[in-house]
């Protein structure tokens, strides 16, 4: 069965510090992974996906199949990055279902 | 273009009451989903639908029912509300062949 694990429920850093939100997965097929973000009082929205290999709002994430990880990184955190972050794995069989991790609440302190 | 619209935004229920959470999308998306969000638990899939007339169970379907009579609407029904169903419920949709979900704003339900 597929599974997504985010080991840190809470993460607190100071503005300007590097930040890394961890995500590990288990999946028997070829994984397609995403990071979704939920800012305070807003709906969930896509932050980035591994197939795009893009940087969004300074965040990047690299898929490491050997370590089955998809960690989210940003070299210099900003206060506006404070949010709940969810790692998600796409199940490509019937219904394109996403399996979400438990979420990491990131707080960036001034 | 409204995207995914959920109603109500907030609701308090007594144990044993029933209610329906409404979800509508105007993007002609084939697939629709209901998730519940609990602190420290992430989002868990309750039910999903790949098209009108077709629904299937997700990870946590017990205590819920759904229907999909049209492409646009995907209501979630709670028949006998229990305190364990206190949660934030999110509806989402996606076009077949795409892989990015569009979420609604959420419905916060409290069962007392």
């Amino acid at each position: 069965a597929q599974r997504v694990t985010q080991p840190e429920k809470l993460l607190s850093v100071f503005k300007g510090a590097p930040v890394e939100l961890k995500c590990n997965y288990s999946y028997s097929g070829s994984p397609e992974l995403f990071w979704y973000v939920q800012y305070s009082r807003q709906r969930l929205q896509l932050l980035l996906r591994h197939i795009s290999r893009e940087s969004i709002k300074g965040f990047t994430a690299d898929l490491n199949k050997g370590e089955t990880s998809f960690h989210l990184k940003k070299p210099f955190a900003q206060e506006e990055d404070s949010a709940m972050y969810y790692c998600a794995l796409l199940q490509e069989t019937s219904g394109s279902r996403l399996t979400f991790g438990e979420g990491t609440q990131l707080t960036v302190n001034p | 273009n409204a995207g995914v619209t959920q109603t109500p935004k907030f609701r308090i229920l007594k144990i044993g009451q029933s209610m329906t959470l409404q979800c509508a999308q105007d993007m002609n998306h084939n697939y629709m989903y209901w998730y519940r969000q609990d602190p420290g638990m992430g989002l868990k899939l309750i039910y999903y639908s790949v098209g009108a007339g077709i629904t299937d169970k997700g990870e946590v379907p017990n205590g819920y029912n759904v229907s999909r009579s049209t492409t646009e609407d995907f209501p979630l029904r709670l028949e006998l509300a229990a305190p364990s169903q206190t949660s934030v419920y999110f509806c989402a949709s996606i076009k077949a062949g795409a892989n990015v979900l569009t979420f609604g704003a959420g419905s916060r339900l409290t069962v007392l």
Side-chain angles (χ1 to χ4, degrees), chain A residues 9 32 34 36 38 42-46 49 51 84 86 90 94-103, chain B residues 2 4 31 33 35 37 40-43 45 48 50 57 59 90 94 97-101 103-105:
Chain A
K9 287 187 169 47
E32 192 166 351
F34 304 79
Y36 278 80
Q38 186 179 27
Q42 295 187 27
R43 62 187 70 194
L44 275 147
Q45 57 187 283
L46 177 71
R49 47 187 154 171
I51 58 172
M84 176 69 84
Y86 290 99
L90 179 68
S94 175
S96 293
R97 287 166 284 168
L98 279 179
T99 297
F100 286 87
E102 303 91 340
Chain B
V4 178
Y31 299 166
Y33 311 83
Y35 286 91
Q37 181 188 42
M41 303 290 287
L43 283 85
L45 182 65
Y48 68 102
V50 299
K57 295 177 181 178
E59 299 173 80
F90 286 97
I94 192 171
N99 57 14
V100 178
L101 288 178
F103 280 88

